[in-house]
């Protein structure tokens, strides 16, 4: 386990990783979604033979997993991206392939815009691209609570029951304040939007959508802008759990 300083004095972002096999290509950085943890969601993917030759980093965003959760931190998408950049700087990583799931994909887009030297390719899985998403059990529902109601008024506990056993396994380890602020930031989005930033990038970009989910909004626009859009069959939002071989194969498929 390694760490780097971010944000408030003394706060640390942490990650685990593998060294890879030398000259296998640029490092891969895995970034989890809201209420998740990178190693839990992605370590089994990084170990697939087609991917295992690369150096891999499994980074937990602030407020999640093994990273610190300072109370005096904003937890905006920009804040998360800056903390992720601090981790990559400390790890000596440049030109990484960043593989972001859900909120982690949104953070990865912001990172690629703010620190382009850190990112050579984006693989986004079911990533949030637009503000004000439809009401679901995730960020949009969490954002309906006030911070006080979520943290101290039972909202966190209600959410843990609502999300089910898979998501609950890691969400219960997230800091409630960090979770709420992150969810509100994700629902609020960025200016310009995550979609606009993604369309404007010129690095290789792939967007993965689970075949069991809703149709991807703006799929034609993304494709026209050079984003490789791929549907992973037999998968819902958690593509890496529902169809791990298909997810790993898509990551390994270079444009």
């Amino acid at each position: 386990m390694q760490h780097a300083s971010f944000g408030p004095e003394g706060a640390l972002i942490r990650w685990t990783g593998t060294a890879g096999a030398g000259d296998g290509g640029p490092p891969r950085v895995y970034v989890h979604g809201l209420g998740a943890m990178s190693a839990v969601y992605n370590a089994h993917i990084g170990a697939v033979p087609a991917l295992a030759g690369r150096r891999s980093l499994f980074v937990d965003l602030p407020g999640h997993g093994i990273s610190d959760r300072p109370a005096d931190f904003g937890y905006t998408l920009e804040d998360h991206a800056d903390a992720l950049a601090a981790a990559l700087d400390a790890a000596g990583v440049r030109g990484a392939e960043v593989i972001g799931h859900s909120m982690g994909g949104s953070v990865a887009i912001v990172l690629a815009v703010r620190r382009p030297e850190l990112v050579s390719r984006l693989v986004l899985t079911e990533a949030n691209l637009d503000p004000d998403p439809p009401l679901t059990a995730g960020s949009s529902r969490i954002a309906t609570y006030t911070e006080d109601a979520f943290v101290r008024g039972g909202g966190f506990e209600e959410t843990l029951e609502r999300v089910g056993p898979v998501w609950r396994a890691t969400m219960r380890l997230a800091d409630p304040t960090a979770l709420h602020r992150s969810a509100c930031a994700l629902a609020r989005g960025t200016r310009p939007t995550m979609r606009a930033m993604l369309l404007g990038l010129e690095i290789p970009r792939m967007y993965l959508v689970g075949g069991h989910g809703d149709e991807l909004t703006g799929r034609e626009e993304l494709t026209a802008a050079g984003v490789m859009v791929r549907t992973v069959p037999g998968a819902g939002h958690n593509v890496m759990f529902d169809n791990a071989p298909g997810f790993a194969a898509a990551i390994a498929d270079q444009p």
Side-chain angles (χ1 to χ4, degrees), residues 38-66:
S38 282
V40 172
Y41 274 68
N42 293 297
H44 64 295
I45 301 299
V48 170
L51 302 177
R54 301 275 190 91
R55 182 185 181 190
S56 298
L57 282 70
F58 306 99
V59 185
D60 283 347
L61 296 172
H64 293 72
I66 57 176

Side-chain angles (χ1 to χ4, degrees), residues 48 96 112 127 136 140 173-174 182 210 213 239:
V48 170
T136 64
S140 55
L173 304 177
S182 297
V239 175

Side-chain angles (χ1 to χ4, degrees), residues 112-157:
V113 170
R114 291 168 79 92
R115 294 288 306 276
E117 76 279 9
L118 298 180
V119 184
S120 64
R121 181 189 181 215
L122 287 176
V123 180
L124 310 174
T125 307
E126 294 270 320
N128 302 70
L129 299 180
D130 304 302
D132 303 316
L135 195 63
T136 64
S139 61
S140 55
R141 178 79 66 176
I142 292 172
T144 63
Y145 293 91
T146 66
E147 185 172 307
D148 187 68
F150 186 79
V151 175
R152 289 171 286 276
F156 180 55
E157 290 76 15

Side-chain angles (χ1 to χ4, degrees), residues 7-79:
E9 184 175 357
L12 299 176
I13 183 170
R14 296 182 176 88
W15 65 95
T16 57
T18 62
D23 298 328
R28 291 191 176 101
V29 177
Y30 295 85
V31 189
H32 61 82
L34 182 71
M37 295 174 62
S38 282
V40 172
Y41 274 68
N42 293 297
H44 64 295
I45 301 299
V48 170
L51 302 177
R54 301 275 190 91
R55 182 185 181 190
S56 298
L57 282 70
F58 306 99
V59 185
D60 283 347
L61 296 172
H64 293 72
I66 57 176
S67 288
D68 286 349
R69 52 228 33 222
D72 53 342
F73 189 66
Y75 297 97
T76 65
L77 294 175
E78 294 85 356
D79 288 335

Side-chain angles (χ1 to χ4, degrees), residues 186-204:
L186 188 58
R188 185 169 61 248
T190 57
R191 296 295 181 272
T193 66
M194 293 87 78
R195 182 182 297 273
M197 287 191 283
L198 177 62
L199 291 171
L201 289 169
E202 297 182 356
I203 58 175

Side-chain angles (χ1 to χ4, degrees), residues 137-138 158-168 171:
E158 292 168 4
T159 300
L160 291 179
E161 288 301 315
R162 185 164 54 242
V163 299
V166 174
W167 203 356
R168 182 164 61 241
M171 186 180 286

